[in-house]
């Protein structure tokens, strides 16, 4: 039996491991791991832990997560101050990639200020946990007065695209590298 609960500091290492594992980077060079974590994990659990939730197993160990930045402008400000210099320290290529990633989330910031990342450990995928995490975050952000949320996924990540479509997300934009998708909470509850 799995359950969903709020993120706690004790989940940090498991969440970071799942992030690396799903990015196929568990055994990658240290700098690659560092980049993946600073882009797709650390900002959220360090700066907005109240907007993060985990799926846990019977022993209360995290087996999946959804991590969210509630407001793009705030996210971008802190990201540029704290995390972008870390990307720059890795390499110019990583710095440029990080800037492009920021840009991809900024395009829809006025309609969808909140964006998120989600990952479920391979052994627990297709058990409904991802959908439960999406609905938990939806309720949480609705309570805060938000009307939707967005994400950017790989253009060829059919597993994720199927998942988002199944959960009511619509496509905002597709390019060669990525697909921006969004969920309107009103439409979702209609
Ligand atoms: C995408 C992901 C978050 C979905 O979470 P989940 O807990 O597996 O999804 P759920 O069980 O709630 O929903 C299952 C639905 O997701 C889609 N899906 C999940 N795994 C899939 C797969 N391997 N192939 C195709 N579709 C898949 C299907 O629509 C599926 O519905 P179905 O079983 O009726 O066909 C999870 O599989 C995952 O972490 N994948 C790897 C990392 C990733 O792509 N993260 C998102 C990056 S943007």
């Amino acid at each position: 039996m799995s359950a969903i609960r709020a993120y706690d500091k004790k989940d940090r290492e498991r969440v970071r491991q799942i992030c690396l594992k799903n990015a196929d980077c568990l055994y990658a060079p240290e700098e690659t791991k560092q980049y993946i974590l600073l882009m797709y994990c650390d900002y959220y659990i360090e700066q907005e832990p109240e907007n993060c939730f985990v799926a846990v197993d019977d022993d209360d160990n995290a087996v999946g997560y959804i991590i969210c930045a509630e407001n793009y402008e705030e996210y971008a400000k802190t990201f540029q101050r704290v995390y972008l210099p870390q990307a720059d320290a890795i390499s110019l290529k990583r710095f440029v990639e990080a800037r492009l990633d920021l840009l991809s989330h900024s395009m829809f910031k006025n309609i969808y200020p909140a964006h998120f990342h989600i990952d479920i450990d391979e052994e627990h995928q297709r058990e409904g946990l991802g959908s439960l995490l999406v609905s938990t975050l939806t309720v949480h952000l609705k309570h805060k007065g938000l009307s939707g949320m967005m994400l950017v996924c790989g253009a060829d990540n059919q597993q994720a695209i199927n998942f988002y479509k199944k959960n009511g997300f619509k496509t905002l934009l597709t390019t060669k590298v990525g697909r921006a998708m969004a969920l309107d909470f009103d439409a979702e509850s209609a």
Side-chain angles (χ1 to χ4, degrees), residues 46-73:
E46 289 171 3
Q47 307 294 332
E48 303 195 37
E50 72 280 10
N51 291 323
C52 300
F53 297 88
V54 288
V56 294
D57 63 15
D58 287 343
D59 299 319
D60 201 40
N61 292 320
V63 296
Y65 61 80
I66 193 163
I67 54 182
C68 170
E70 184 181 335
N71 179 292
Y72 176 82
E73 300 290 1

Side-chain angles (χ1 to χ4, degrees), residues 118-120 126-128 130-131 153 157 159 162-164 166:
I118 184 169
D119 271 305
I120 308 294
R126 258 179 158 156
E127 292 177 6
S131 303
C153 70
N157 189 348
Q159 173 182 357
N162 289 349
F163 167 75
Y164 293 125
K166 189 173 177 182

Side-chain angles (χ1 to χ4, degrees), residues 18-19 21-23 55 63-65 116-122 124-134 151-154 157-167 179:
I18 295 167
C19 175
K21 195 173 166 192
N22 279 10
V63 296
Y65 61 80
F116 70 91
H117 298 285
I118 184 169
D119 271 305
I120 308 294
D121 191 284
E122 205 175 353
H124 290 273
Q125 288 175 11
R126 258 179 158 156
E127 292 177 6
L129 294 176
S131 303
L132 278 174
L133 284 167
V134 163
L151 70 121
V152 180
C153 70
N157 189 348
Q158 203 52 52
Q159 173 182 357
I161 292 167
N162 289 349
F163 167 75
Y164 293 125
K165 282 187 179 164
K166 189 173 177 182
N167 279 282
R179 181 188 290 229

Side-chain angles (χ1 to χ4, degrees), residues 11-25:
D11 302 315
R12 178 180 168 88
E13 279 322 305
R14 278 187 184 273
V15 164
R16 291 176 104 229
Q17 286 299 303
I18 295 167
C19 175
L20 289 175
K21 195 173 166 192
N22 279 10
D24 214 8
C25 287

